[in-house]
Amino acid sequence: CCSMDLKFSIKHLHDFEDDLKVLLESVRVKDVNDISKSTLKSVNKEPLVEHTVKMAKLLKFSHELLRSAAADLDSLKCEQLQNQSRLIRVQEDLDVKKSVQLDSVQKTVDDKLSTWSSVVAKNSEKKVTQKEMKKAVKLAIKEQ
């Protein structure tokens, strides 16, 4: 799916533009849209034949470049989709690992709070609830 044949390049486009410029100069026009039967009639037959042959080659070359560019784009799209799929899988794995870690931390905190709560309850006249213990732990963490 994702093999690229890099025939297409900016250099090819510049070469094409240079060849087109030479053609336009030879028929004495500034833009391709200005080429008409009358502008072509003013050119001698031999240069016109040379330019026609060159233009046919340019058209073939540009067609091949467009085909190559289209194939490269398809390949890049395919590669992007594969990368997005990989990224989604990695994000899902990360979410699962985070969830497992959070569950582990929550269990540890709950266990420690229960232990601390029992220790405080044994050593205190006033019964400390788990909620009060959580509040005290959060306050201690903020102070650090």
Side-chain angles (χ1 to χ4, degrees), residues 2-136:
C2 291
S3 63
M4 277 200 293
D5 185 12
L6 297 173
K7 293 179 185 173
F8 180 78
S9 74
I10 296 297
K11 183 189 178 314
H12 290 119
L13 288 177
H14 289 298
D15 291 347
F16 178 79
E17 289 170 350
D18 291 343
D19 290 341
L20 188 57
K21 185 177 178 184
V22 170
L23 174 65
L24 294 175
E25 287 171 356
S26 72
V27 293
R28 298 177 194 99
V29 295
K30 293 185 179 192
D31 187 74
V32 173
N33 294 326
D34 297 334
I35 295 177
S36 66
K37 285 183 182 180
S38 61
T39 59
L40 292 176
K41 284 181 183 178
S42 68
V43 179
N44 291 334
K45 185 176 180 183
E46 187 58 35
L48 189 59
V49 168
E50 286 176 25
H51 286 301
T52 303
V53 169
K54 192 171 194 173
M55 198 55 153
K57 289 178 182 178
L58 283 172
L59 285 171
K60 183 178 187 294
F61 177 73
S62 65
H63 181 261
E64 289 169 2
L65 277 179
L66 288 172
R67 186 180 293 258
S68 173
D72 291 348
L73 284 173
D74 286 346
S75 179
L76 288 170
K77 286 178 194 174
C78 176
E79 189 176 316
Q80 182 181 13
L81 289 172
Q82 287 177 342
N83 287 337
Q84 285 174 338
S85 269
R86 276 189 225 113
L87 180 60
I88 289 169
R89 282 193 306 273
V90 167
Q91 286 173 332
E92 288 170 346
D93 290 347
L94 184 60
D95 287 344
V96 167
K97 287 178 182 177
K98 281 182 179 179
S99 179
V100 167
Q101 287 177 343
L102 286 173
D103 289 347
S104 173
V105 167
Q106 183 66 46
K107 183 180 179 333
T108 302
V109 168
D110 287 345
D111 290 348
K112 295 296 180 188
L113 281 175
S114 293
T115 303
W116 291 338
S117 189
S118 348
V119 168
V120 170
K122 287 179 186 176
N123 296 321
S124 172
E125 295 175 9
K126 180 184 174 201
K127 186 169 183 177
V128 179
T129 64
Q130 196 168 9
K131 185 177 178 182
E132 291 171 322
M133 186 58 72
K134 282 183 184 180
K135 187 176 177 182

